[in-house]
């Protein structure tokens, strides 16, 4: 296993690419173990260097768009339409559970943070 500390955003990018490649590896296999270790390291680095602010789901979406390099167009694609994205960002429509799951998976945001009232 060639695993090293994550010290920079470039290291994080490499780790995330490897995590994507290993995703779904069976637990207890060398690939599964590597996935587990890399995910733990990436999570620790992100928590220390790119914390997601506490707040309601709309604030978190605005943070992702403003600070994480995401866009409203990407959100619209995840939600299926631009009007839905706009309504959610303007607090006129709540997120559904399926939308929360899609956003959390695609943008690597905590489901619990997006599911807050």
């Amino acid at each position: 296993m060639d695993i090293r500390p994550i010290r920079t955003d470039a290291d994080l990018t490499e780790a995330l690419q490897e995590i994507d490649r290993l995703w779904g590896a069976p637990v207890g296999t060398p690939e599964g173990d590597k996935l587990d270790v890399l995910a733990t390291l990436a999570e620790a680095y992100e928590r220390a260097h790119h914390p997601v602010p506490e707040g309601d789901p709309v604030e978190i979406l605005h943070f992702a768009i403003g600070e994480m390099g995401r866009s409203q167009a990407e959100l619209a694609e995840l939600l299926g339409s631009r009007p839905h994205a706009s309504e959610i960002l303007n607090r006129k429509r709540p997120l559904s559970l399926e939308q929360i799951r899609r956003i959390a998976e695609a943008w690597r945001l905590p489901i619990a943070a997006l599911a807050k009232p």
Side-chain angles (χ1 to χ4, degrees):
M1 236 189 256
D2 181 30
I3 296 176
R4 50 190 171 53
I6 298 173
R7 294 188 177 107
T8 66
D9 283 352
D11 292 342
L12 177 63
T13 298
E14 281 184 42
L16 292 175
Q17 289 171 346
E18 185 67 4
I19 288 168
D20 283 341
R21 188 186 73 73
L22 295 169
W23 196 255
V27 174
T29 65
E31 293 83 13
D33 291 347
K34 186 175 183 179
L35 172 63
D36 189 36
V37 171
L38 283 174
T40 301
L41 290 172
E43 182 180 1
Y45 180 85
E46 286 178 333
R47 192 175 303 128
H49 298 278
H50 302 287
V52 174
E54 287 294 319
D56 67 47
V58 174
E59 289 172 359
I60 291 170
L61 291 175
H62 282 291
F63 173 81
I65 290 168
E67 301 295 324
M68 294 174 61
R70 302 301 180 172
S71 70
Q72 188 169 342
E74 286 179 276
L75 181 61
E77 188 175 313
L78 289 170
L79 300 177
S81 81
R82 282 188 168 282
H84 282 155
S86 181
E87 289 172 350
I88 288 167
L89 291 172
N90 289 313
R91 302 178 186 274
K92 294 181 180 177
R93 175 189 291 253
L95 287 165
S96 71
L97 184 55
E98 181 57 35
Q99 291 169 333
I100 290 169
R101 285 184 182 137
R102 271 188 260 146
I103 295 166
E105 183 177 322
W107 289 5
R108 300 183 195 276
L109 294 171
I111 288 177
L114 294 173
K116 288 182 181 177

